[in-house]
Amino acid sequence: MKFIKSISKLLVVILLILSVTLNVSMFVGGAFYQVASSAFRAVTGIRTVALQHADEVASLTTDLAEQRTAKKQLRGELADATTDLSSERATTRKLRGELADTTTKLSLERSATKKLRSELSDASAGLVTFRGKKVAIKEAVDSTAERITAPVSDLGWVSR
């Protein structure tokens, strides 16, 4: 029995030593692996899978950082474009209002011009151009009649 007790104590001690050794090796194993991997690369010139993955992770991290920077820049540009678009829309609304006012004024002026032309046409209906001047039809007829009868009246044929 003494023998079994000693073997069991020895097994417990061996298990404790293995446990501590395993824990220490796991704690510093990454550093040991790194050293071993670097030594392997130095001797053979071949990169290990772990180094290839580490390089790939570093490259992807750099790419991700660049993409995040580009995304921030694009968001800034989008905000600027949105602000510009908003101000252009406000300007467009203002110009449309001014255009509507101008159109209304132009319409009123056209109707006033049309009305004045109509009145002028009515007023000038009794006028004719006579010797480069606008005169009443009656005056033009009287003047023409006088011019025609003047030479005849000098002959004594027409009495007044």
Side-chain angles (χ1 to χ4, degrees), residues 3-153:
F3 179 70
I4 294 179
K5 274 188 173 187
S6 350
I7 291 182
S8 67
K9 283 183 184 180
L10 184 62
L11 280 177
V12 168
V13 169
I14 291 174
L15 282 176
L16 285 174
I17 291 173
L18 283 175
S19 175
V20 169
T21 306
L22 184 62
N23 284 330
V24 169
S25 67
M26 287 177 63
F27 181 71
V28 291
F32 285 140
Y33 180 77
Q34 190 76 358
V35 170
S37 177
S38 295
F40 179 77
R41 181 173 182 209
V43 171
T44 62
I46 299 173
R47 289 181 17 185
T48 62
V49 174
L51 286 177
Q52 290 174 357
H53 288 187
D55 289 345
E56 187 176 342
V57 166
S59 173
L60 291 174
T61 303
T62 303
D63 290 347
L64 181 62
E66 289 173 358
Q67 287 179 359
R68 284 181 179 167
T69 304
K71 186 176 180 181
K72 284 180 184 178
Q73 182 181 3
L74 288 174
R75 281 186 179 169
E77 290 175 7
L78 178 62
D80 292 344
T82 302
T83 303
D84 292 345
L85 180 61
S86 175
S87 65
E88 285 181 21
R89 284 182 178 169
T91 303
T92 302
R93 279 193 297 271
K94 181 180 176 184
L95 289 174
R96 282 185 180 162
E98 290 176 7
L99 180 62
D101 292 343
T102 304
T103 303
T104 304
K105 288 177 184 177
L106 181 61
S107 176
L108 291 174
E109 286 183 19
R110 282 183 178 168
S111 64
T113 302
K114 193 182 274 187
K115 183 178 177 183
L116 287 174
R117 282 186 181 163
S118 174
E119 289 176 7
L120 181 62
S121 174
D122 292 344
S124 67
L127 299 178
V128 292
T129 303
F130 182 70
R131 293 189 171 194
K133 297 181 194 175
K134 290 271 186 182
V135 294
I137 293 175
K138 185 176 186 219
E139 284 183 42
V141 169
D142 288 345
S143 177
T144 303
E146 283 180 20
R147 278 190 14 224
I148 292 173
T149 58
V152 176
S153 65

